Amino acid sequence: MQRLHRDPLRVNVRVEEAESGRPLGHLVDLSLGGFCVSGPRPAVTGIGPVKVRLVLPWAIDGARDIPLEVVMRWARPVRGRQRAGYVISHCDDDALRRLSHLAARCAGRAG
């Protein structure tokens, strides 16, 4: 399995189930292909894509969230919390623009 480079985030971006609003945790890292979430409870599981929403601390292009469809690839406990890795299976053009902006603005780049 190929893993795209993911930069750690320097801002607090919440992740929740899109339909129920159940909190999943906060983004740990992000790439345009996927992300890692850290939270107190088990991650969303299931077969096929799951709809989630990244809740932004400020608006990007007039929106405070980024809706995505994701597939969980792994989950494990890390220092008393649950971490899970997701690959993005679908997002619309507006969501992709906001995701690109978030990654460029908030990801910690070495160097």
Side-chain angles (χ1 to χ4, degrees), residues 20-67:
S20 70
R22 180 176 84 92
L24 301 178
H26 295 85
L27 285 185
V28 173
D29 59 33
L30 172 68
S31 76
L32 293 183
F35 52 85
C36 176
V37 174
S38 176
R41 290 190 287 259
V44 166
T45 59
I47 303 207
V50 175
K51 292 181 180 182
V52 300
R53 179 176 37 246
L54 307 184
V55 182
L56 304 170
W58 65 86
I60 297 176
D61 293 337
R64 295 282 309 245
D65 69 344
I66 303 174

Side-chain angles (χ1 to χ4, degrees), residues 8-100:
L9 289 189
R10 298 180 300 198
V11 297
N12 187 1
V13 176
R14 291 180 301 135
V15 182
E16 58 188 37
E17 285 183 286
E19 293 176 7
S20 70
R22 180 176 84 92
L24 301 178
H26 295 85
L27 285 185
V28 173
D29 59 33
L30 172 68
S31 76
L32 293 183
F35 52 85
C36 176
V37 174
S38 176
R41 290 190 287 259
V44 166
T45 59
I47 303 207
V50 175
K51 292 181 180 182
V52 300
R53 179 176 37 246
L54 307 184
V55 182
L56 304 170
W58 65 86
I60 297 176
D61 293 337
R64 295 282 309 245
D65 69 344
I66 303 174
L68 304 168
E69 288 184 25
V70 300
V71 175
M72 189 175 76
R73 292 293 187 205
W74 58 267
R76 66 176 168 262
V78 175
R79 292 188 294 268
R81 295 180 62 84
Q82 294 292 318
R83 284 208 177 172
Y86 296 89
V87 63
I88 299 169
S89 62
H90 177 76
C91 66
D92 64 28
D93 290 341
D94 291 335
L96 181 58
R97 274 192 298 280
R98 291 193 300 270
L99 189 65
S100 297

